[in-house]
Amino acid sequence: MKKEFAVIGLGRFGGSICKTLSEQGMEVLAIDMDEDKVNEFANIASHAVVGDSTDESVLKSLGIRNFDHVIVAIGANIQASILTTLILKELGVDNITVKAQNDYHEKVLTKIGANRIVHPERDMGRRIATNIVSNNVLDYLELSDEHSIVEIVANNRVNGHSLIDLDIRAKYGINIVAIKRGKEIIVSPQASEIIREGDILIVIGADVDINRFEKKVVG
Ligand code: ATP
């Protein structure tokens, strides 16, 4: 059975989620209190409706509790975002993802029981800053406050060395889980795998160890 999603708030963030889910063939109900926004999505989403999500009766009449996942993408109006999340929770929606504006907003959303809280602007800012500071780091995914998965470009210092030569696991306490080489991707590379300049190393470990590795070996 197709999964059913509802996106509340059709700004740039909610709109982008709505478009991508629709392109992937999902059933998407798009909701916004602004009629122009709803019209914009009428031909993109499966259904697009005008409604104020802080009004419980509106959400009830849309049968919101039957949706597999509801995304609350209301930005500036933190009060509306919190109230909407609270109503969704009370109506028994299983999966609620909410866009947070700041840390206080996130705290409240966590207390109310939002399943996933995202900070697109903050996260994209961090990503870009990390990429600007280090030309070798292409992208990263935070696993916790202290652990990440990072994509690092191999330079000529490691060119021609095998993983065992570099002794990465013992020296740095990190693991190379995959190597991207052009279109090829080597998952769980063998210790004998020879690194070439330009390879993208996908590394998992503690941030401090990844930084050490990045600075000493490729930086
Ligand atoms: P983005 O950065 O994603 O463009 P934003 O952070 O600027 O968005 P807003 O523009 O404040 O966020 O809100 C996103 C959308 O949510 C708007 O189209 C707005 O009409 C809609 N919205 C705000 N409050 C409600 C509500 N109570 N019910 C339904 N839609 C709402």
Side-chain angles (χ1 to χ4, degrees), residues 8-15 31-35 37 50-55 73-77 80-81 84 99 101 120-121:
I8 301 174
L10 302 170
R12 285 161 301 176
F13 178 68
I31 306 166
D32 202 294
M33 64 200 299
D34 178 342
E35 197 175 344
K37 281 274 155 67
V50 180
D52 179 351
S53 60
T54 61
D55 182 343
I74 297 171
N77 190 344
S81 160
T84 300
K99 172 185 161 174
Q101 283 292 93
E121 290 93 352

Side-chain angles (χ1 to χ4, degrees), residues 26-60:
M26 303 295 163
E27 285 284 324
V28 185
L29 168 67
I31 306 166
D32 202 294
M33 64 200 299
D34 178 342
E35 197 175 344
D36 292 341
K37 281 274 155 67
V38 172
N39 289 336
E40 212 182 293
F41 284 84
N43 294 324
I44 297 169
S46 324
H47 307 278
V49 297
V50 180
D52 179 351
S53 60
T54 61
D55 182 343
E56 185 173 346
S57 63
V58 168
L59 294 180
K60 259 190 183 159

Side-chain angles (χ1 to χ4, degrees), residues 11-156:
R12 285 161 301 176
F13 178 68
S16 162
I17 289 191
C18 184
K19 271 195 192 124
T20 309
L21 288 171
S22 302
E23 280 163 11
Q24 291 185 6
M26 303 295 163
E27 285 284 324
V28 185
L29 168 67
I31 306 166
D32 202 294
M33 64 200 299
D34 178 342
E35 197 175 344
D36 292 341
K37 281 274 155 67
V38 172
N39 289 336
E40 212 182 293
F41 284 84
N43 294 324
I44 297 169
S46 324
H47 307 278
V49 297
V50 180
D52 179 351
S53 60
T54 61
D55 182 343
E56 185 173 346
S57 63
V58 168
L59 294 180
K60 259 190 183 159
S61 69
L62 292 168
I64 205 82
R65 59 158 305 178
N66 300 319
F67 284 79
D68 298 295
H69 201 141
V70 180
I71 296 104
V72 183
I74 297 171
N77 190 344
I78 292 180
Q79 198 175 322
S81 160
I82 292 170
L83 190 51
T84 300
T85 308
L86 191 63
I87 296 171
L88 292 172
K89 198 72 200 167
E90 278 178 0
L91 291 176
V93 175
D94 285 334
N95 272 303
I96 309 170
T97 293
V98 192
K99 172 185 161 174
Q101 283 292 93
N102 54 48
D103 292 345
Y104 298 111
H105 189 189
E106 170 164 12
K107 252 191 192 163
V108 178
L109 293 170
T110 308
K111 277 258 182 327
I112 300 171
N115 305 85
R116 186 164 176 209
I117 299 159
V118 290
H119 293 252
E121 290 93 352
R122 184 193 69 185
D123 294 349
M124 191 47 77
R126 279 190 188 164
R127 275 205 152 79
I128 291 172
T130 307
N131 185 235
I132 289 169
V133 168
S134 167
N135 289 330
N136 290 94
V137 174
L138 295 184
D139 205 354
Y140 73 97
L141 175 72
E142 267 179 4
L143 298 176
S144 74
D145 285 347
E146 290 169 4
H147 294 82
S148 307
I149 297 178
V150 181
E151 284 189 350
I152 301 175
V153 186
N155 67 8
N156 61 3

Side-chain angles (χ1 to χ4, degrees), residues 170-203:
K171 276 197 190 146
Y172 298 94
I174 58 174
N175 275 297
I176 295 187
V177 288
I179 300 175
K180 281 202 235 172
R181 183 171 294 152
K183 285 194 174 149
E184 191 190 359
I185 177 142
I186 305 157
V187 179
S188 304
Q190 306 272 332
S192 58
E193 186 69 40
I194 307 282
I195 298 176
R196 299 184 202 157
E197 185 175 355
D199 279 354
I200 297 167
L201 311 176
I202 300 165
V203 172

